[in-house]
Amino acid sequence: MIVRNICSRSNEMSAHHRAKSPLTISEMCSKIEGDAARQDRFGPLLDLALRVRHQEQRQRGPKVYSWHAPEVECIGRGKARTPYEFGCKVSIATPATAPKGGQFVLHAKALHGNPYDGHTLGPVITDLEKLTGVAVRRIHGDKGYRGHNYPDRFRVWISGQVRRVTKVIRREMRRRAAVEPVIGHLKDDHRMRRNYLKGRDGDRINAVLAAAGYNFSLLLRWFEELLRVL
């Protein structure tokens, strides 16, 4: 089993919104004062505007990076070209073997709160086993999963690991990179790179739909070959 966390990107809050926020907040407060209906309608927007106005660059805790998607998080990628991305993490699990039908996505889940990759392994594998009804024998992940919280640590192999590596496991560890083209297809062909659904529920739905669309594309390819033979 190969697991990997990726990031679904979104746009960053522009400096123009921050510069205009004091005037907007003052105008909103004056127009909704004393009107209960307007306060119920525009109260959440006013709270969001206050968060944008008073947040600082290096503050700890959640910040607002997008006005229309305040749930967006800043995720450090550790890459020179793209050190940061804005969106939410998505966990992807694929088979560690080479299936004849293709590299199907076995599990896809949006992970909010910018969790550490290693701390997502236990819940993801539990959901995967419940979904498929099959116990996972071996788990392969990249170096972001060091210090994971999976109970049976002898089932988990991290890329670059030397101890307890047999020929079979070494062959599977080389197959770990097979998840990378799957992630590329999910992002470019099935709309995981940019999510058009609103809110955190939209993030969860988009991750599942992207994985389902990718799996259906593999099934359609099989049906084409079957009809060609018939």
Side-chain angles (χ1 to χ4, degrees), residues 52-204:
V52 173
R53 179 67 185 91
H54 296 293
Q55 69 184 8
E56 298 179 358
Q57 182 180 5
R58 300 185 183 277
Q59 77 176 33
R60 304 292 294 180
K63 295 174 65 177
V64 179
Y65 297 98
S66 174
W67 178 265
H68 298 286
E71 71 276 0
V72 164
E73 300 148 357
C74 178
I75 301 172
R77 303 301 297 168
K79 300 177 181 178
R81 185 171 62 89
T82 55
Y84 300 100
E85 290 184 351
F86 298 88
C88 73
K89 286 187 176 181
V90 177
S91 175
I92 300 295
T94 61
T97 57
K100 292 183 179 180
Q103 201 75 10
F104 284 88
V105 176
L106 303 179
H107 183 269
K109 183 179 182 181
L111 305 169
H112 294 102
N114 194 10
Y116 171 60
D117 289 355
H119 295 165
T120 66
L121 187 60
V124 165
I125 298 301
T126 301
D127 291 346
L128 174 62
E129 292 177 339
K130 187 183 301 182
L131 179 66
T132 60
V134 179
V136 176
R137 291 186 299 171
R138 288 187 289 270
I139 305 165
H140 298 275
D142 58 20
K143 293 183 179 179
Y145 287 93
R146 288 178 295 190
H148 59 83
N149 60 350
Y150 189 67
D152 191 354
R153 64 186 184 91
F154 293 106
R155 289 188 181 183
V156 182
W157 278 265
I158 308 299
S159 64
Q161 181 175 333
V162 178
R163 290 186 175 183
R164 302 183 294 109
V165 176
T166 63
K167 290 184 179 180
V168 176
I169 295 174
R170 188 177 293 110
R171 184 164 57 249
E172 290 182 355
M173 290 176 71
R174 286 196 295 267
R175 283 280 308 167
R176 191 206 64 80
V179 73
E180 302 298 338
V182 174
I183 293 173
H185 285 298
L186 288 172
K187 285 185 173 182
D188 298 331
D189 301 336
H190 300 282
R191 298 188 178 183
M192 189 174 282
R193 187 179 299 278
R194 181 174 293 276
N195 178 23
Y196 294 93
L197 304 179
K198 186 174 180 59
R200 294 194 170 189
D201 290 336
D203 294 336
R204 300 185 185 99

Side-chain angles (χ1 to χ4, degrees), residues 27-46:
E27 186 176 355
M28 287 179 65
C29 290
S30 62
K31 288 186 176 181
I32 69 175
E33 185 177 2
D35 192 331
R38 288 186 176 181
Q39 287 179 354
D40 293 339
R41 175 65 181 84
F42 296 102
L45 292 176
L46 181 59

Side-chain angles (χ1 to χ4, degrees), residues 13 15-28 46 48-54 67:
M13 181 195 74
H16 173 76
H17 292 160
R18 185 180 178 90
K20 290 291 186 179
S21 60
L23 179 60
T24 305
I25 292 172
S26 176
E27 186 176 355
M28 287 179 65
L46 181 59
L48 184 60
L50 290 171
R51 286 180 59 190
V52 173
R53 179 67 185 91
H54 296 293
W67 178 265

